[in-house]
Amino acid sequence: MRFFKVIVLFLLFVQSVFSQGKPNIVMIVVDDFGYHDIGYHGSQIHQTPAIDNLAKTGVVFQNGYSSYPRCTPSRYGMFTGTYPVNESKGYLGGIPSEKNFIRQFNEAGYKTSYTGKWHIGGEESSPTGFGFHNSYAAGHAGGVDTRHYPFNTKTLEKAKANEGKKKKGHGEKYPVLNVTEDGKKGDYLSDVLTDATIGFIENRDKKKPFFTVLAYYAVHTPIEAKKEDEKRNQKEIDAFDYGDGPEYIKEGTGRRKMRQDNAAYAGMVENVDENIARVVATLKKEGLDKNTIIVVTSDHGGLSNGGFKGQRLLATTNLPFKAGKGWLYEGGIRVPYIINWPGTLKPKFDQESIVLGMDIIPTLLDLSIEKKVKGIDGKSFKSVLEGKETWEDRTVFWRSIKARPHSTGDGKTEVVRSGDYKLLYFKDTDTVELYNVVKDEGELNDLASAEPQKKKELMELLKAWKKEYLIPSKVKIYPPKK
């Protein structure tokens, strides 16, 4: 018996030593964050020194895309490594362990944590149901009523008033968990989420590596900044020369914003950046900065477009990309995509490789534990990070048929990008547009008539993909339990 105990203790010791050699991971997802919302990508209004530094010292993908132009399907694709063809949250609780990224990390000795916007299910499909050891401020909620404490007042009042009724009314249906109970007067939501993540890092089990996700509810609506941040940015915006260009242009069923001139939005962006700086500082203080992979990305492009229903407040512009959130033009799906691992990954601005949100966690698994998950759509781009290959000839797809012409002005659209070319098929009008998005990133020169052979080639690719994926067993990959 004593010999058996010695063997068990020895194995636990070996596992502990092995675990400590694995990199920690901090994955930061900023909601509705456009590619050009950060200074490194050209914003002249938003000051983002922390993100800029991660970009300068990390690997940046110019062709980094979200898997969908809206929140829920994009996040579903990100955490399952699959195309979100069903355009919903699916049923994460039914994903088998061998395809569940988080359970793979857990089995490898990681402590896993999720803080912030989840928006893809509750119970067995919640962060903890999905496999994360810890969860904070995550659940069904897609946003808050206000970014200032108490955060959920209207939602809680509405839930109480509608108790027992089928109709819940408009606006947010679910409160953001934990923050109202734990917060105090003067608190700002992004700060509270960062505090929770820092607390997890500082109080971690130091014998184990960790994988933590910090998913901000910013910079999604409501567009509310701290007073001092908004005031500072308003002065800068008032002094900025926007030239003679229009503030809005007509697009789809509504309009598109052509300027970054919203002081409150700028304040939100800069607050997120300041909070990311706090996370980086914590890693350095804890001596973890050299052995921690940091990812910064978004679920889709910035909110630049409104639909026919009213003149909604628009947050930003994605110029020179066309359109924004809800659309499958570049502005709706091209996002910040930064992988930083000091001393291990050489800094690089990758202008060729095509990567999607559904590739991120498969890559993190490969980098950290050399694990490859089979039977998914996402791919590890570890070899790309290491400079062994580029993915400029990759073929990828998008499908968005739950259009919101009333809200963001978009229509039902299906898209394929193959190499330099991108084809968009608009189902409502049965029309096709074709662009060389390497030479024409603003998608201004439609080549559908000029290059009929390329149009035909990409349409065949799109049809073949739809034939494979749009069947019942694929559309409902993980159906709810009966």
Side-chain angles (χ1 to χ4, degrees), residues 9 166 233-234 306 326 370 396-397 449 460 465:
L9 289 172
K166 290 185 178 180
N233 277 283
Q234 190 61 61
E370 298 183 350
V396 290
F397 304 88
S449 297
E460 290 302 319
W465 177 76

Side-chain angles (χ1 to χ4, degrees), residues 23 57-58 289-294 339-345 367:
T57 59
D289 52 311
K290 300 300 182 183
N291 195 36
T292 299
I293 303 169
I294 301 176
I339 315 290
N340 185 289
W341 190 3
T344 300
L345 298 178
L367 284 172

Side-chain angles (χ1 to χ4, degrees), residues 33 36-53 56 219 229 232-237 240 242 260 262-277 316:
F33 201 32
H36 290 105
D37 275 335
I38 65 177
Y40 186 80
H41 287 165
S43 177
Q44 295 179 281
I45 299 298
H46 307 154
Q47 311 302 314
T48 56
I51 298 175
D52 294 351
N53 188 60
K56 290 172 185 175
V219 290
D229 291 343
R232 180 186 68 254
N233 277 283
Q234 190 61 61
K235 287 182 179 180
E236 295 173 2
I237 288 169
F240 190 80
Y242 289 95
Q260 288 184 341
N262 188 306
Y265 185 79
M268 289 169 63
V269 169
E270 293 175 8
N271 173 263
V272 164
D273 186 77
E274 290 166 4
N275 276 300
I276 291 175
T316 188

Side-chain angles (χ1 to χ4, degrees), residues 67-333:
S67 297
Y68 193 88
R70 296 192 189 280
C71 302
T72 300
S74 172
R75 292 164 190 272
Y76 179 82
M78 186 179 293
F79 287 98
T80 63
T82 59
Y83 283 115
V85 292
N86 60 343
E87 299 184 272
S88 72
K89 58 194 173 205
Y91 176 59
L92 278 71
I95 295 176
S97 294
E98 64 271 18
K99 291 185 181 181
N100 184 308
F101 303 137
I102 308 309
R103 298 194 189 281
Q104 296 296 318
F105 276 112
N106 293 344
E107 290 175 9
Y110 275 76
K111 291 296 288 184
T112 53
S113 173
Y114 195 98
T115 297
K117 182 169 178 175
W118 179 246
H119 203 35
I120 42 178
E123 300 177 349
E124 290 183 322
S125 294
S126 69
T128 52
F130 190 53
F132 285 96
H133 291 124
N134 302 310
S135 174
Y136 186 84
H140 286 290
V144 288
D145 300 310
T146 173
R147 306 207 164 275
H148 304 277
Y149 179 83
F151 311 117
N152 293 303
T153 305
K154 293 179 181 178
T155 304
L156 292 172
E157 289 177 353
K158 188 183 298 179
K160 186 176 181 180
N162 287 297
E163 192 172 349
K165 300 178 183 178
K166 290 185 178 180
K167 187 176 181 181
K168 301 226 176 186
H170 300 290
E172 293 299 336
K173 297 179 180 179
Y174 303 98
V176 174
L177 302 175
N178 309 121
V179 293
T180 299
E181 299 90 333
D182 296 346
K184 62 183 183 302
K185 186 176 180 180
D187 280 350
Y188 188 74
L189 184 59
S190 295
D191 299 342
V192 173
L193 301 182
T194 305
D195 289 343
T197 297
I198 289 174
F200 170 77
I201 294 171
E202 292 178 336
N203 298 302
R204 71 194 184 281
D205 181 345
K206 293 180 173 58
K207 295 180 181 179
K208 295 185 176 182
F210 63 83
F211 172 36
T212 185
V213 179
L214 173 53
Y216 289 106
Y217 287 89
V219 290
H220 192 287
T221 55
I223 301 173
E224 298 174 347
K226 295 179 180 179
K227 289 182 179 179
E228 60 270 26
D229 291 343
E230 182 173 357
K231 185 176 181 180
R232 180 186 68 254
N233 277 283
Q234 190 61 61
K235 287 182 179 180
E236 295 173 2
I237 288 169
D238 290 342
F240 190 80
D241 183 5
Y242 289 95
D244 298 327
E247 184 174 356
Y248 300 96
I249 64 169
K250 180 176 173 52
E251 192 162 69
T253 62
R255 60 178 184 166
R256 188 205 330 168
K257 190 172 180 62
M258 304 295 281
R259 298 177 185 175
Q260 288 184 341
D261 61 358
N262 188 306
Y265 185 79
M268 289 169 63
V269 169
E270 293 175 8
N271 173 263
V272 164
D273 186 77
E274 290 166 4
N275 276 300
I276 291 175
R278 292 175 58 207
V279 174
V280 173
T282 299
L283 294 172
K284 290 182 178 178
K285 184 192 73 172
E286 296 288 315
L288 303 171
D289 52 311
K290 300 300 182 183
N291 195 36
T292 299
I293 303 169
I294 301 176
V295 177
V296 179
T297 193
S298 174
D299 53 353
H300 49 70
L303 176 61
S304 66
N305 288 69
F308 63 74
K309 192 174 181 180
Q311 298 293 306
R312 71 179 299 184
L313 178 65
L314 299 176
T316 188
T317 184
N318 298 294
L319 285 173
F321 300 148
K322 185 186 290 188
K325 176 180 179 177
W327 292 70
L328 288 176
Y329 286 123
E330 296 293 278
I333 50 178

